[in-house]
Amino acid sequence: MRGIWLFLFVVPFLIGILVVNVFFSSEDLTLQQEADNAALAGNYIKTENVYDELINADPFNIKLHRSKIRSHFNRPKKIGKSAYRDDQTIALQYATFASTNHAELSDIGYYGIGYMEAIKGNDDNALLRYLKVKNTKLHYLNNSIGYIYLTKKHYVIAETYFLKEIEAQGNLSGAYSNLAKVYEASGEEDKLIKLLSNTEAKQYISERVIRHHLLKNGNVKDYSAYAFSLGNVTTTGLVGALLILAFWIVFILWVDVYETEKLKHILFALCLGSGFSMLATPLYDFYFVSLGWQLNGNYLNDLLYSIFAIGLIEETLKILPFLIILRFTNIINESMDYIVYASVCALGFAFMENLMYFHQAGLDDVLSRSTSATILHMALTSFVAYGLMYGKYKGDINYSAGYFVFAFIVACFIHGFYDFWLLSDGWIGQLQFLSLGILYIAVQRYGRAITNALNYSEFNTKKGQLIRSSEFLALSLSIIAVYQYAAIGYKFGAENANINLFMMILNSAFLVFILIEVLGELNVSKGYWVSILKIKSYEKVGRM
């Protein structure tokens, strides 16, 4: 048995490491290309080191200093049990620059200190440092000051600074993008229209602002072109999303042991789930245009938004395809079908979502999304369908609607709390481990829901059965991990891939363990029911 596990985990990695390090070198690159590749691969330690080299050759290039600081703070604050990111050294470096008599270097020092404070969320401290910069035409300065005033809703002052940045021909992408946000937030529609008519400006304005403008003005045709666009889908991203999709579909069919589902039914559910996912963007835009509601950094607002916007919208769009299948087809003919088709509909949604994440800069998330967001989507949609299954097979069928509504509300809250910790900054953002706890509980309950569905299957003729999928899970997750490693090696070179491999193992090993431990073995016993609400509850009942 130990040899099997060694084969499933180690052999795929050894093959991947051999291929990447032999065939994917990163020679003949400029320092800037090395920095860009390292950043896209998530290798921020190398990124910062390369920017140090670039700064040595061009010490007064503010863009290089800004990129160095950004790459430093993109590094995890804590690695392992005792290794911490060293913020003091870089802070001391820019404080030294600021105290020098060299005017240009002093300005870079004050800007750098301000930028670090802004990254840490200390806007007032950042503003104080920015205002000490003597060269008021320093690139990035006016945009950075304007952004602080934008977050404080001082739109007139923010507009002034963004226009100064544009006049200085500095950070045009940031200034034009933020200026559009000012006009949107302040309701200055005429100025926004004029800005959007500027060819130079429009290329920098976010699609979100453009969509909101088109929706407000009833331009359905142009709005639809933006809202239903898949964005910049890459080949490597598409393959990653397809791997995750195939892995979880095979798993759910693997454990559905009592009746084989027809492929055309699975594809139908998958297409429905993918199609309904395209409505997420219009619904989020409707929330903003009609209610002015969005994430804004206020903890209470963001928690409510995570539950009643993100949770409500996404759980609705995932369960609707299932309800269509349940109401208008005869596909669902056993208890396990409730879990199977709810999971597949959720997988359709997750597949489309993963396509957006796995663009060129998102390949380092392939394994983590397969072991977190994707399985959580499946679990939560299955919980809602489980409410209907519970009413039919265990509870009172007359209260099925009530069970369904209760399960739906719970799913929205779980989804919201999971996202809230991940999306928040400040001290709340330090509690992201709570999302991991939510994920663990959700996966555990998902396993119980599958077990109950199998226990009550109309086609279950056995008293007991152990459904083992741990080896399949181990091999599949290893293949996904090796794909992520190889894709990063192919695009960004072996060195970046090797660093990413280390970080991937560090960050995802526990998630992989959770999935194999909880879903690797399902003990099916005909007629038994395992409560998914209680910590531990077993009850044997007669067949209905």
Side-chain angles (χ1 to χ4, degrees):
M1 183 63 68
R2 183 176 298 176
I4 293 176
W5 285 102
L6 186 66
F7 175 82
L8 294 177
F9 276 117
V10 176
V11 172
F13 280 103
L14 289 178
I15 295 173
I17 290 170
L18 179 64
V19 170
V20 167
N21 286 277
V22 170
F23 296 105
F24 300 150
S25 64
S26 54
E27 300 175 356
D28 302 324
L29 295 177
T30 66
L31 285 176
Q32 186 60 62
Q33 288 173 325
E34 285 189 31
D36 292 340
N37 282 354
L40 290 170
N43 184 0
Y44 297 113
I45 294 176
K46 180 181 178 181
T47 308
E48 184 178 358
N49 291 335
V50 174
Y51 274 117
D52 278 331
E53 293 185 55
L54 288 166
I55 289 170
N56 286 335
D58 189 4
F60 303 116
N61 187 325
I62 187 64
K63 182 178 181 180
L64 296 179
H65 285 279
R66 180 181 163 93
S67 297
K68 166 190 164 68
I69 293 169
R70 181 75 266 178
S71 61
H72 175 84
F73 283 93
N74 277 337
R75 293 163 54 182
K77 196 167 186 179
K78 184 179 180 181
I79 301 175
K81 294 182 178 180
S82 58
Y84 290 85
R85 186 183 66 206
D86 179 13
D87 293 344
Q88 290 185 343
T89 299
I90 191 172
L92 180 61
Q93 179 185 16
Y94 282 89
T96 302
F97 291 162
S99 63
T100 186
N101 291 326
H102 192 290
E104 195 170 359
L105 190 57
S106 178
D107 282 349
I108 289 174
Y110 280 119
Y111 179 82
I113 297 171
Y115 189 46
M116 285 186 272
E117 291 293 331
I119 290 173
K120 291 185 286 187
N122 303 325
D123 286 347
D124 291 334
N125 289 338
L127 188 58
L128 287 174
R129 302 311 190 278
Y130 288 149
L131 293 177
K132 289 188 176 183
V133 175
K134 294 179 180 179
N135 178 11
T136 58
K137 293 185 178 181
L138 180 69
H139 287 186
Y140 294 95
L141 174 65
N142 289 298
N143 181 69
S144 296
I145 295 174
Y147 186 77
I148 291 176
Y149 283 115
L150 171 60
T151 59
K152 293 177 177 293
K153 299 183 180 181
H154 297 163
Y155 301 127
V156 175
I157 302 175
E159 178 189 16
T160 301
Y161 280 102
F162 294 141
L163 291 174
K164 285 182 179 180
E165 186 73 35
I166 294 169
E167 183 182 357
Q169 290 293 294
N171 181 12
L172 294 178
S173 62
Y176 277 126
S177 175
N178 289 326
L179 189 60
K181 293 175 183 177
V182 165
Y183 295 150
E184 179 185 46
S186 61
E188 296 180 273
E189 194 71 13
D190 292 339
K191 288 184 177 180
L192 181 57
I193 292 172
K194 184 178 179 180
L195 190 65
L196 289 172
S197 66
N198 183 332
T199 305
E200 179 187 54
K202 190 173 181 179
Q203 64 180 316
Y204 300 123
I205 298 173
S206 73
E207 288 191 3
R208 184 172 181 270
V209 172
I210 296 174
R211 290 199 316 268
H212 292 167
H213 167 72
L214 294 172
L215 186 60
K216 285 179 182 177
N217 288 276
N219 189 336
V220 177
K221 180 180 178 181
D222 290 343
Y223 173 79
S224 299
Y226 280 100
F228 299 115
S229 170
L230 292 179
N232 299 320
V233 177
T234 64
T235 302
T236 49
L238 175 61
V239 173
L242 285 172
L243 273 177
I244 295 172
L245 176 66
F247 156 53
W248 281 116
I249 284 182
V250 172
F251 168 78
I252 199 66
L253 295 179
W254 182 297
V255 299
D256 183 21
V257 293
Y258 297 122
E259 184 201 26
T260 302
E261 304 302 324
K262 293 181 179 179
L263 180 60
K264 65 179 181 180
H265 293 164
I266 296 297
L267 292 176
F268 176 62
L270 187 63
C271 290
L272 274 181
S274 300
F276 270 83
S277 74
M278 299 296 289
L279 297 176
T281 295
L283 288 173
Y284 283 122
D285 290 343
F286 175 79
Y287 264 71
F288 179 82
V289 171
S290 299
L291 306 175
W293 201 15
Q294 62 180 336
L295 296 170
N296 62 10
N298 178 280
Y299 292 143
L300 179 59
N301 172 84
D302 291 355
L303 175 59
L304 294 176
Y305 186 86
S306 295
I307 296 171
F308 297 107
I310 299 174
L312 180 61
I313 288 173
E314 297 192 4
E315 293 310 318
T316 298
L317 293 179
K318 289 187 297 170
I319 197 60
L320 282 176
F322 171 82
L323 294 177
I324 290 172
I325 293 171
L326 180 65
R327 175 63 179 84
F328 297 105
T329 74
N330 59 358
I331 293 174
I332 297 175
N333 61 356
E334 68 159 332
S335 54
M336 183 58 188
D337 286 348
Y338 284 80
I339 305 300
V340 169
Y341 287 98
S343 296
V344 173
C345 289
L347 277 171
F349 185 98
F351 170 74
M352 300 300 287
E353 190 177 67
N354 286 337
L355 283 180
M356 293 188 295
Y357 278 93
F358 300 159
H359 50 77
Q360 192 176 33
L363 287 174
D364 55 337
D365 290 329
V366 175
L367 179 62
S368 64
R369 285 195 61 81
S370 66
T371 57
S372 57
T374 302
I375 180 62
L376 185 68
H377 277 311
M378 295 168 62
L380 295 183
T381 307
S382 295
F383 293 162
V384 183
Y386 182 87
L388 293 173
M389 187 192 82
Y390 181 86
K392 180 177 181 180
Y393 292 91
K394 181 66 168 67
D396 187 335
I397 196 170
N398 294 319
Y399 294 102
S400 291
Y403 300 140
F404 171 81
V405 172
F406 173 75
F408 179 76
I409 292 173
V410 170
C412 290
F413 271 79
I414 293 174
H415 194 146
F417 274 98
Y418 176 84
D419 282 351
F420 173 64
W421 307 115
L422 296 178
L423 295 173
S424 296
D425 296 321
W427 69 271
I428 288 290
Q430 302 301 315
L431 302 177
Q432 292 185 1
F433 65 89
L434 293 175
S435 292
L436 186 62
I438 290 172
L439 178 64
Y440 173 76
I441 294 172
V443 172
Q444 187 185 55
R445 269 48 183 180
Y446 181 56
R448 291 186 183 182
I450 293 174
T451 302
N452 286 342
L454 291 170
N455 289 345
Y456 272 72
S457 171
E458 287 83 344
F459 303 100
N460 182 354
T461 59
K462 301 179 180 180
K463 290 184 177 181
Q465 182 177 359
L466 180 66
I467 301 175
R468 185 178 177 88
S469 59
S470 52
E471 291 84 4
F472 167 76
L473 289 169
L475 179 60
S476 298
L477 291 170
S478 295
I479 291 172
I480 291 173
V482 170
Y483 171 76
Q484 175 179 317
Y485 172 64
I488 289 177
Y490 172 73
K491 277 187 167 289
F492 309 121
E495 181 182 356
N496 292 318
N498 291 333
I499 293 295
N500 182 266
L501 176 61
F502 171 75
M503 297 301 297
M504 174 170 52
I505 294 172
L506 195 66
N507 294 329
S508 298
F510 183 62
L511 294 175
V512 171
F513 171 78
I514 287 176
L515 292 180
I516 296 175
E517 177 69 17
V518 175
L519 300 179
E521 290 186 355
L522 300 175
N523 193 1
V524 179
S525 299
K526 184 178 179 180
Y528 278 80
W529 193 271
V530 187
S531 173
I532 69 170
L533 296 179
K534 297 179 182 179
I535 296 176
K536 188 174 183 180
S537 176
Y538 298 91
E539 176 188 354
K540 184 172 182 179
V541 296
R543 290 288 294 169
M544 299 180 71

